[in-house]
Amino acid sequence: MNKDDHNEKGADTVLNRGLSRRGFVKSVGAIAAASAVGTVGWPGIVSAKSKSINVTCWGGAYEDAVRTSFAQPFEKATGIRVNLVNNADLARMKVQVQNRRISWDVFDSIGPQIMAGSKQGMWEKIDTSIVDTSGLIQQTGDDNVGTYFYAGGIGFDPKRNPQGQHPETFEQFWDVDRFPGRRGLRSRISENLEMALLADGVAPDALYPLDIERGFAALDRIKPHVRKWIETTPQTVSLIASGDLDFTYTYLSRVLPAQRAGTSVAMSMKQTLNSLEYLAVPRHGRNTEAAMQYVNFCLQPENQAKFCEMVEFSPNAEKALSLVDADARARMPDMNSANAIVIDDEWWGEHFDDLQRRFTEWMLM
């Protein structure tokens, strides 16, 4: 999933090399103090009956596609302005819900965060009098909807690392003797734990429930070779383009737009992790009805098709797939491949918070 920009750049420094533990603790303290009054780094609170809503986003090409396919057409159809706010941070969303000061009206995020939020009672029940959930390939919860599948895999520069000189599977990504080079991985535990277990020899169809201790042991082996723990999704491509990394975990939806822009970057399709992206509406919002209208708009097949053509996601609306351009369909991952793993969001909903906390501490050790 994918993800980014100005708010994330501040958080980025917390989790990557070069920041002392003292600096990290100081930063966390400052954030906690600001969070207590519900103000840290947020846009202005949306007033009651506002003609605008704030929707979390992930920056880069993803933001461009959301703006073109959903936000601007929705504004034109309803007169309700959509402000895209980068960085879907569940901890900040939780503070907003707890304080009943909602500034993010729609939370666009990955399964582990959505399921964790659902478990904590953070989302409104989907209003099916407004949101049409029929015809979805993956039916989801009472308080969230799945929008599209996105694929993650191993990114590299094909000029610097042509065929045979770059890893194609996660087992090869862990093989630093055969494929020496600087690695980049995301700073969240989901996906990393799956990659670690696959690298350690667990069969794709036997991943869940994840063997946590075995996964962390495998992460211990790759850790010395990780040059960057990547917080913002655009960096998964830009760090390859700049030559700061040799191999990284990235997303097809980032690689293809970068290729079109002339960047020398590619992603192996031999083994992919495929995840469902979700939308949820936080409780105690002041624009809940408008937020539900936006969610419904995003599920319409023609809107899904337009979005997926731009970023090569696979739509969750069944009727959308036939509307997607044939060339774009050909670039989507082969979901019939045994190496196409689908992330188990229900499992992450039970474990994400505790494991993310452990993973964050592990990165700083």
Side-chain angles (χ1 to χ4, degrees):
M1 63 151 37
N2 333 324
K3 327 217 167 187
D4 347 315
D5 282 348
H6 55 280
N7 286 336
E8 288 192 14
K9 288 179 180 176
D12 185 39
T13 59
V14 175
L15 297 173
N16 289 292
R17 294 182 176 183
L19 179 65
S20 67
R21 174 175 289 276
R22 176 178 296 178
F24 170 72
V25 172
K26 186 177 180 180
S27 297
V28 170
I31 291 171
S35 296
V37 295
T39 59
V40 57
W42 297 345
I45 299 299
V46 178
S47 62
K49 298 181 181 179
S50 171
K51 283 294 183 182
S52 68
I53 57 174
N54 292 330
V55 178
T56 64
C57 199
W58 297 108
Y62 183 88
E63 179 179 339
D64 293 341
V66 169
R67 178 172 289 105
T68 301
S69 305
F70 302 135
Q72 291 177 341
F74 179 76
E75 289 176 16
K76 186 175 181 180
T78 65
I80 301 171
R81 180 175 175 76
V82 178
N83 303 309
L84 299 179
V85 182
N86 281 318
N87 191 1
D89 186 311
L90 186 65
R92 292 182 177 182
M93 185 77 263
K94 184 176 181 178
V95 172
Q96 292 182 36
V97 174
Q98 288 177 333
N99 292 340
R100 301 197 177 199
R101 294 172 60 85
I102 305 300
S103 63
W104 298 343
D105 301 291
V106 178
F107 194 70
D108 178 339
S109 192
I110 58 174
Q113 293 206 79
I114 292 291
M115 297 305 165
S118 181
K119 185 181 177 183
Q120 297 169 46
M122 290 172 57
W123 316 130
E124 290 281 357
K125 186 176 181 180
I126 294 298
D127 186 345
T128 54
S129 70
I130 299 175
V131 182
D132 181 4
T133 59
S134 63
L136 296 181
I137 295 171
Q138 183 75 40
Q139 288 294 330
T140 46
D142 291 339
D143 59 1
N144 60 78
V145 297
T147 44
Y148 24 75
F149 297 93
Y150 61 91
I154 299 166
F156 57 94
D157 180 348
K159 291 183 178 177
R160 287 188 283 129
N161 299 102
Q163 189 65 31
Q165 297 181 24
H166 61 81
E168 294 185 295
T169 66
F170 299 118
E171 183 177 5
Q172 293 174 354
F173 187 89
W174 255 244
D175 189 344
V176 295
D177 294 326
R178 182 179 174 189
F179 300 103
R182 301 155 297 177
R183 265 70 169 166
L185 288 172
R186 301 305 306 269
S187 58
R188 62 170 178 251
I189 183 61
S190 56
E191 297 171 284
N192 277 327
L193 204 52
E194 280 90 345
M195 282 186 264
L197 289 167
L198 291 165
D200 203 48
V202 176
D205 61 357
L207 269 179
Y208 298 98
L210 300 180
D211 185 332
I212 297 168
E213 299 309 320
R214 182 175 177 179
F216 269 94
L219 286 168
D220 284 340
R221 295 201 302 277
I222 199 66
K223 187 177 183 181
H225 307 282
V226 176
R227 175 65 60 88
K228 178 77 172 178
W229 295 101
I230 302 171
E231 184 74 9
T232 67
T233 306
Q235 287 184 301
T236 62
V237 169
S238 64
L239 290 171
I240 290 291
S242 63
D244 291 317
L245 293 177
D246 296 299
F247 312 118
T248 185
Y249 185 70
T250 187
Y251 302 93
L252 186 64
S253 56
R254 299 291 176 168
V255 170
L256 292 175
Q259 288 176 339
R260 295 188 192 107
T263 303
S264 179
V265 62
M267 188 183 103
S268 171
M269 297 298 288
K270 189 169 183 177
Q271 187 164 48
T272 58
L273 299 179
N274 298 275
S275 306
L276 194 59
E277 185 82 1
Y278 296 82
L279 297 177
V281 176
R283 293 177 62 195
H284 313 306
R286 302 182 183 188
N287 299 292
T288 299
E289 182 175 341
M292 292 289 176
Q293 290 178 33
Y294 178 80
V295 172
N296 182 61
F297 191 86
C298 294
L299 295 181
Q300 302 308 301
E302 59 275 17
N303 299 330
Q304 288 246 309
K306 184 176 182 180
F307 175 82
C308 291
E309 280 184 6
M310 292 187 70
V311 286
E312 272 80 12
F313 285 17
S314 298
N316 193 32
E318 190 171 7
K319 292 182 178 178
L321 192 57
S322 62
L323 303 177
V324 174
D325 176 79
D327 289 340
R329 281 204 305 274
R331 291 189 291 268
M332 294 175 181
D334 178 9
M335 296 302 288
N336 293 318
S337 167
N339 277 332
I341 291 94
V342 177
I343 299 294
D344 186 337
D345 292 323
E346 292 292 339
W347 190 91
W348 278 111
E350 295 293 323
H351 299 88
F352 182 77
D353 281 354
D354 290 342
L355 289 180
Q356 183 59 45
R357 192 176 304 112
R358 174 177 172 178
F359 185 63
T360 301
E361 294 173 353
W362 175 88
M363 284 189 291
L364 294 169
M365 291 173 59

